[in-house]
Structures are given as C-alpha cells and as structure tokens.
Amino acid sequence: MGNLPYPRTLLTAAIERIRADRNVNYLRAALLKAWLTRNAQKEIPMSLDTGITDVGYRLGRLFALVERIQENAVPGVNATVRDRFFGAASATPARAFPIILRNAQHGLAKIRKEEAGKAINLEKSLQEILGGLDAAQGGFPAALRLEEQGMFILGYYQQRQEFFTKKESAASENNAAAPEAQKED
C-alpha cells in the first residue's frame, strides 16, 4: 500500500499554487519531487544536477539564471521577471523565453559595464544551459506537460538554491580564514 501512485490532482494543485503566488519553497519542491519520483519514475537528486537533460528541468534552471541576471543588473526592481513571466515560462516556453532572454541580454550589458568578470560567469552559465537544450527541436517547446512543469519548478528551485549555497560556502571560507589572518598580525 505504501507504493501506490500519488493522485494527479496533487501535482495539479501544487503547480497551480506555485504559479499563482510564484513562491517555490522547500516543502513545495519536496512535494513535486516526491510525486515525480513515484509517479513518473524520474530520478531527481536533492540538489542541482547540471547533467540532467530533461527540457523542463533545464528551462527552470535557465529561468532562475535570468532572474539572477536581473537581480544583479537592477537590484530592488519592482516587477521581477518571476513576477511577470513565471507562469508563462513554465507552461508555454516558446512564447515567454524569447522575450525573457532579450531582456536578460540588456541586463548582461549593464553588468558587463560594472563587473565584467561577473558578466562573463553569467554568460558562461547561460551558454551551458542553452547548449544542453535540444536545438534540433526547433528551439523552445510550445508547451510543457504537467510533469514537465513540475521538472521546470524543480530545476528553478535547485538552481536558485545553488546560487545561495555558493555564497554561503564562500562566506564561511572567508570567515574561517579571517581568524588565521589575525593570528599572523
């Protein structure tokens, strides 16, 4: 009885709630992961896996990266890319991503003027994700099925977590090095 599939309405309700309030937290991501693992037999790691080729997962990662570019280019912006495009990007990527990527290029240009190294790293990340999307499909898919939307959200969530993990580990390394530097004085 423990391995029965979860009801499809659970996936539908979770995705609708996430799209409505554009909030992907740990519990929601865990729920999607559980549903996809049990019902769709998807092997999904707990943290970011850059080797996953699933189109929904990669598009979610791409969306998170574009959001990161916007955060760096225009800190404190009123209407973020997530506010404006999350629902469309997760359901109809062919309509949303050309606009999103065009805006990201403007953000990258601004970052390049102020912090060239950061812009280069962001561009490399963009190319890595875009390179993994199947160009033979003719670009972005017109629509994502419900399971693919779940993978989109997981890719988005895990990519966002990776951004914060890198910052936290760099900060803890700097804090660990600081006491040693004080001893030398």
Side-chain angles (χ1 to χ4, degrees):
M1 179 142 185
N3 288 333
L4 291 175
Y6 294 123
R8 187 166 183 80
T9 54
L10 179 64
L11 178 66
T12 303
I15 290 174
E16 285 176 359
R17 175 58 28 213
I18 290 167
R19 287 180 66 188
D21 62 17
R22 295 172 300 279
N23 179 19
V24 185
N25 59 33
Y26 173 77
L27 293 174
R28 290 176 176 181
L31 177 72
L32 291 174
K33 182 180 181 312
W35 195 97
L36 290 164
T37 300
R38 181 171 291 179
N39 293 43
Q41 284 80 42
K42 298 260 185 193
E43 286 295 322
I44 306 163
M46 293 299 288
S47 58
L48 181 68
D49 182 352
T50 58
I52 293 178
T53 58
D54 182 272
V55 69
Y57 188 83
R58 283 202 171 265
L59 290 172
R61 290 184 56 215
L62 179 61
F63 192 82
L65 183 59
V66 168
E67 185 179 29
R68 182 65 158 197
I69 290 168
Q70 183 187 43
E71 289 168 354
N72 282 287
V74 190
V77 67
N78 289 336
T80 66
V81 68
R82 183 175 61 202
D83 295 334
R84 296 179 61 212
F85 291 103
F86 189 85
S90 65
T92 55
R95 295 178 101 189
F97 271 101
I99 298 164
I100 292 168
L101 289 174
R102 193 173 327 114
N103 291 340
Q105 290 304 316
H106 296 299
L108 279 171
K110 184 174 182 189
I111 296 168
R112 199 174 297 114
K113 289 177 187 172
E114 298 167 8
E115 299 178 76
K118 183 180 277 187
I120 289 170
N121 288 335
L122 290 167
E123 287 172 336
K124 282 181 182 178
S125 296
L126 262 178
Q127 291 308 314
E128 180 265 320
I129 295 171
L130 286 169
L133 292 170
D134 189 10
Q137 290 180 338
F140 299 107
L144 294 179
R145 295 183 338 268
L146 203 56
E147 290 84 0
E148 292 170 323
Q149 290 178 41
M151 289 297 290
F152 177 98
I153 294 167
L154 283 175
Y156 169 80
Y157 176 78
Q158 290 181 352
Q159 185 69 59
R160 292 290 299 173
Q161 292 306 307
E162 182 72 12
F163 294 143
F164 297 117
T165 302
K166 286 181 181 178
K167 242 186 218 181
E168 289 170 5
S169 58
S172 62
E173 286 174 16
N174 289 341
N175 290 340
E180 292 173 16
Q182 291 173 353
K183 288 178 187 174
E184 292 175 9
D185 290 339

